[in-house]
Amino acid sequence: GEAVNLMRELRRAIRTDGAIRIVCPDVELLSKKYLDGSLSDYDECNDGCAGFHTQSGKLWAMVHEGHQFGYDWLTLKQLLEETGWQPFRSSFRKTEVQAIEQILKETTEMGFDLSLFCDAVPKLA
């Protein structure tokens, strides 16, 4: 699909000493919030979530609004490995990847506790 094509194109375009950071809604975390009934905690950060009164509607809005697919860590890791990347699970403003440290100095990340953070470097043949 589109994600596979995008990751392959990024892998082709990025130098061997480069890296990427991916931040997306964490479907595993949101599913847990759905089950414990606490998705209303995110009403302020997502208009779609605020517009629904049921946990199911809120979950749908959180995962699908502005996104074509939902990822948990294992699904994102598999996508990256299959497209030539070595992924590392990371977190807000933290990384194991030296090339990402400069990105963190120059950018502002959304700090919501609903995000999955992943850094990846090109897999060397």
Side-chain angles (χ1 to χ4, degrees), residues 18-22 80 85-88 97 100 118-122:
I20 60 172
R21 172 162 270 223
I22 298 170
L80 290 165
W85 294 95
Q86 180 181 354
F88 299 90
V97 178
I100 297 293
C118 176
D119 300 327
V121 296

Side-chain angles (χ1 to χ4, degrees), residues 9 22 35 43 45 53 55 64 71 73 90 93 107 115:
E9 179 60 16
I22 298 170
L35 292 172
D43 283 355
C45 68
H53 299 293
Q55 291 297 295
H64 294 284
Y71 290 94
W73 167 243
S90 54
R93 305 297 299 161
T107 62
S115 296

Side-chain angles (χ1 to χ4, degrees), residues 2 5-6 9 13 18 29 32 51 61 77 81 86 91 96 118:
E2 289 182 42
N5 293 337
L6 174 63
E9 179 60 16
L29 175 80
K32 289 175 183 174
K77 181 177 183 277
E81 289 174 343
Q86 180 181 354
S91 59
E96 296 178 39
C118 176

Side-chain angles (χ1 to χ4, degrees), residues 46-64:
N46 184 296
D47 291 337
C49 184
F52 283 102
H53 299 293
T54 65
Q55 291 297 295
S56 178
K58 290 177 182 299
L59 179 62
W60 180 261
M62 295 299 292
V63 173
H64 294 284

Side-chain angles (χ1 to χ4, degrees), residues 26-38:
D26 185 337
V27 172
E28 180 180 1
L29 175 80
L30 291 170
S31 296
K32 289 175 183 174
K33 298 283 188 180
Y34 164 82
L35 292 172
D36 73 18
S38 63

